[in-house]
Amino acid sequence: MQVLGWKEWGSLPDIGIERIHMKVDTGAKTSCLHAFKLEPFERDGKAWLTIYMHPKQDSLQEHCFEAPVFEKREVTDSGGHTELRYVIRTRLVLGQFDHVVELTLTNRDTMKFRMLLGRQAMRHHFTVDPAAAHLLGE
């Protein structure tokens, strides 16, 4: 298994994000991606979203992409608040890891990281060294 630090850089190439800073969060079951605006629509009879986000921390630079809705799921955040969130599936590249992962979508404008990497994406592939950071490079 590859070792991750508590924060890492990765990419989501299928949705046009070449580089994203993520917090490795073993307390989160599902990975989460920042989205400040979601516009649902239908394509070929299936649910899709237009997703607006700020991929860089401390920046209002916008990135917009479309993705099919995988499902909607209730998620409880670290503060105990439950929220119904859209879930999409997309490729995550993190070091040698290149797999499709599930991402819930929520507004993380007030959070330090635009993405959380949760346990489901990490299992069977990574262990975490909480004292280290950027073990896969910057």
Side-chain angles (χ1 to χ4, degrees), residues 73-77 81-86 105-107:
R73 181 182 303 159
E74 280 194 353
V75 176
T76 304
D77 66 20
H81 306 100
T82 300
E83 175 184 34
L84 185 62
R85 295 184 187 174
Y86 285 102
L105 303 171
T106 193
N107 190 322

Side-chain angles (χ1 to χ4, degrees), residues 24-41:
V24 177
D25 189 350
T26 60
K29 182 178 178 183
T30 307
S31 300
C32 177
L33 183 66
H34 166 67
F36 69 87
K37 182 178 175 184
L38 301 171
E39 294 178 346
F41 67 96

Side-chain angles (χ1 to χ4, degrees), residues 17-31:
I17 300 173
E18 293 181 24
R19 188 177 157 148
I20 190 162
H21 204 198
M22 64 188 76
K23 179 180 179 184
V24 177
D25 189 350
T26 60
K29 182 178 178 183
T30 307
S31 300

Side-chain angles (χ1 to χ4, degrees), residues 32-103:
C32 177
L33 183 66
H34 166 67
F36 69 87
K37 182 178 175 184
L38 301 171
E39 294 178 346
F41 67 96
E42 275 194 25
R43 179 177 287 160
D44 299 323
K46 299 198 188 246
W48 278 67
L49 290 169
T50 301
I51 301 160
Y52 297 84
M53 67 169 302
H54 306 120
K56 296 177 183 172
Q57 291 168 221
D58 303 318
S59 172
L60 293 179
Q61 175 189 356
E62 290 185 15
H63 177 70
C64 177
F65 63 94
E66 294 178 347
V69 174
F70 177 66
E71 67 182 18
K72 285 184 178 180
R73 181 182 303 159
E74 280 194 353
V75 176
T76 304
D77 66 20
S78 60
H81 306 100
T82 300
E83 175 184 34
L84 185 62
R85 295 184 187 174
Y86 285 102
V87 181
I88 63 169
R89 298 180 81 207
T90 194
R91 276 178 52 225
L92 168 65
V93 178
L94 187 58
Q96 299 300 313
F97 178 86
D98 186 342
H99 293 280
V100 172
V101 297
E102 294 178 6
L103 299 172

Side-chain angles (χ1 to χ4, degrees), residues 111-125:
M111 304 295 179
K112 185 171 181 176
F113 293 90
R114 297 299 188 213
M115 182 175 164
L116 293 181
L117 182 66
R119 292 188 312 270
Q120 285 182 330
M122 288 186 271
R123 69 174 180 223
H124 311 301
H125 302 284

